Amino acid sequence: MIKYRGIIQRYKEFLPITDKTPIISLCEGNTPLIFSPYLSGLLGENFKVYLKFEGANPTGSFKDRGMTVAISKAKEENAQAVICASTGNTSASAASYAAKAGIKCVVLLPKGAIALGKLSQALIHNATVLAIDGNFDDCLELVRTISAQFPIQLVNSVNPYRIEGQKTAAFEICDFLETAPDYQVIPVGNAGNITAYWKGYKEYLGKNKISRLPKMLGFQAAGAAPIVKGKPIKKPETIATAIRIGNPASWKQAEAARDESGGLIDMVSDKQIIEAYKLLAAKDGIFVEPASAASVAGLLKLAKKNYFKQAAKIVCILTGHGLKDPDRVIKTVKPPKVIKANLKAVLKEIGY
Ligand code: F0G
C-alpha cells in the first residue's frame, strides 16, 4: 500500500521541488470527489455532477495545496518571514504551514470582513495579524510593496509556487475520473485558483494523461465581479467574504483560462449563493462556506438557461469548509426552538 504524504510527494515530478527542498506538509490534497445524485438529477439523465470538496484539506480550504509548496520553497531559501494579504483562508493556511516550518508569518486582513473561523486560525498559529482599515485590494497592495522592499516573502497567489501547488487539484480530478471533465465550475476571487487548475489540465494534456481539456466556468459574486464587468470594483460587497475582491491579481490569467478553454466567467447574486449553500447542505450533506457555493450557484444558473446541451461530466469546486464561517449559518437558518425538559414536550415537537 502506498502511504499518502501530501501533494508534493504525490506529484513531485510536476513541481519545482529538488532533493534540497525541505518538504513542509500537513498531508494536504487527496480530497474527495463526491458524486452528486441530486445535482446530476436536476441537470438531466445524461449528466454527472461531481463535487471536489477542498474543505477536507488540513486548514479547511484549497489554499493548503499552494501553501505546502510556497512554504517549503521559503524554507529552502532560508526565509525568516512570510507575508500575505487575505480574505481569510490564505492567512489561515500561511499561518499554519509557517508555524510548522518555524518561519514568522505576517498577515494583513481587511478589518471586520473576515469570517470568524479563519481569523481564529491565523491567531492560534501565532501569526502577526493586522486588521487594515481598508479592503483586500488595499491589503494586497501593501504586502506587495513590503515584500519588494524587505526580506519577507510574499505567499499570496502571485507567488508562482502557490499556483504550482494548487494545480494538483486538477491532476487529482483527472486521476479519479480517468479523463478530464467536460466542464469545471469554480468560484473566482483573486483568480489564482482558476489559473492553477487551467495550468494543471494543460500540463496533464501535455503529458498525455488526458486527451482533452475541460471548459472553465468561473463565477464571481455579483457585488464583486470586476472580470465580468470589465473594470475594477472600488467597493466590492458580498456575503461571500472570501471572494470580496475588486481588482484580482490574476485577472489576465483568468481571462486566458476562460478564452483558451471556450468557457466563461459570469456572476451570481448573494441570494443565489445562499440558495446553493443551503441546497448543498440539505441535499448533498456537504457544508461549505458561502464563496464555495458560488460554483454550484453558477451551475444552477447555467442549467436554467439550458447552457449544458449534451451529456456531460461536470466538476464543481467547493473551495472551503462551512465551519470557516459559522456566523453565516446563524444568520441564515432558524435557531433551535427552546422547549421544556420533559418527554411529552419533546415527543410533541418531533411528531410522536
Ligand atoms: N473560495 C474560497 C473559500 C477562497 O478563500 C478564495 C480565495 C476563493 C474561493 C477564490 O480563489 O482567489 O484563487 O480566485 N481566497 C483568498 C484568501 C483571496 O485570501 O483566502 P482565488
Side-chain angles (χ1 to χ4, degrees), residues 95 118-127 129:
K118 306 174 188 180
L119 181 62
S120 318
Q121 288 176 287
L123 292 170
I124 197 70
H125 292 302
N126 285 330
V129 179

Side-chain angles (χ1 to χ4, degrees), residues 37-322:
Y38 178 74
L39 292 170
S40 304
L42 270 189
L43 264 72
E45 222 181 281
N46 299 316
F47 290 90
K48 286 201 157 79
V49 178
Y50 296 86
L51 305 166
K52 181 71 170 159
F53 187 39
E54 289 289 278
N57 275 298
T59 77
S61 86
F62 69 95
K63 306 286 180 177
D64 296 345
R65 295 178 182 276
M67 212 52 79
T68 182
V69 180
I71 298 290
S72 296
K73 294 304 279 186
K75 185 81 179 162
E76 181 180 348
E77 291 154 23
N78 282 319
Q80 300 304 302
V82 294
I83 193 167
C84 66
S86 184
T87 56
N89 282 322
T90 297
S91 62
S93 186
S96 158
Y97 282 79
K100 181 149 190 190
I103 299 175
K104 181 178 158 68
C105 178
V106 180
V107 307
L108 269 58
L109 308 173
K111 186 189 86 180
I114 301 297
L116 191 62
K118 306 174 188 180
L119 181 62
S120 318
Q121 288 176 287
L123 292 170
I124 197 70
H125 292 302
N126 285 330
T128 301
V129 179
L130 302 170
I132 303 296
D133 193 7
N135 61 30
F136 170 83
D137 305 286
D138 300 320
C139 296
L140 187 61
E141 208 177 299
L142 282 164
V143 297
R144 288 181 108 147
T145 307
I146 295 165
S147 64
Q149 291 179 10
F150 298 93
I152 177 163
Q153 285 198 8
L154 187 59
V155 292
N156 279 103
S157 58
V158 289
N159 176 332
Y161 296 135
R162 282 277 313 279
I163 303 296
E164 290 301 309
Q166 283 173 214
K167 75 185 179 188
T168 60
F171 299 165
E172 286 178 15
I173 290 170
C174 299
D175 289 346
F176 185 92
L177 296 176
E178 296 180 328
T179 173
D182 298 290
Y183 299 93
Q184 178 185 302
V185 199
I186 184 169
V188 175
N190 210 25
N193 213 24
I194 189 171
T195 303
Y197 272 94
W198 185 234
K199 185 166 197 285
Y201 287 120
K202 285 196 294 187
E203 284 184 18
Y204 246 30
L205 183 71
K207 294 266 190 233
N208 291 319
K209 297 258 190 190
I210 48 175
S211 55
R212 61 191 164 92
L213 293 165
K215 287 192 183 345
M216 303 294 283
L217 312 175
F219 282 89
Q220 303 195 291
I227 301 176
V228 181
K229 304 224 163 118
K231 59 173 197 299
I233 306 294
K234 282 233 167 60
K235 291 206 164 90
E237 271 311 333
T238 167
I239 52 109
T241 52
I243 51 172
R244 189 168 171 263
I245 294 175
N247 192 9
S250 299
W251 187 321
K252 290 240 151 53
Q253 295 89 323
E255 287 182 336
R258 174 194 67 192
D259 299 341
E260 288 169 29
S261 74
L264 55 79
I265 296 180
D266 195 356
M267 59 188 181
V268 281
S269 67
D270 280 3
K271 189 164 168 266
Q272 289 171 313
I273 289 174
I274 290 296
E275 270 167 26
Y277 172 71
K278 289 166 81 174
L279 206 81
L280 275 166
K283 302 291 186 187
D284 280 297
I286 304 177
F287 183 26
V288 298
E289 64 170 286
S292 306
S295 59
V296 172
L299 173 84
L300 296 175
K301 181 178 174 180
L302 293 179
K304 257 190 211 136
K305 287 201 225 165
N306 237 351
Y307 172 85
F308 304 104
K309 297 219 162 56
Q310 281 154 359
K313 276 197 177 81
I314 305 171
V315 173
C316 294
I317 312 300
L318 304 179
T319 47
H321 203 290

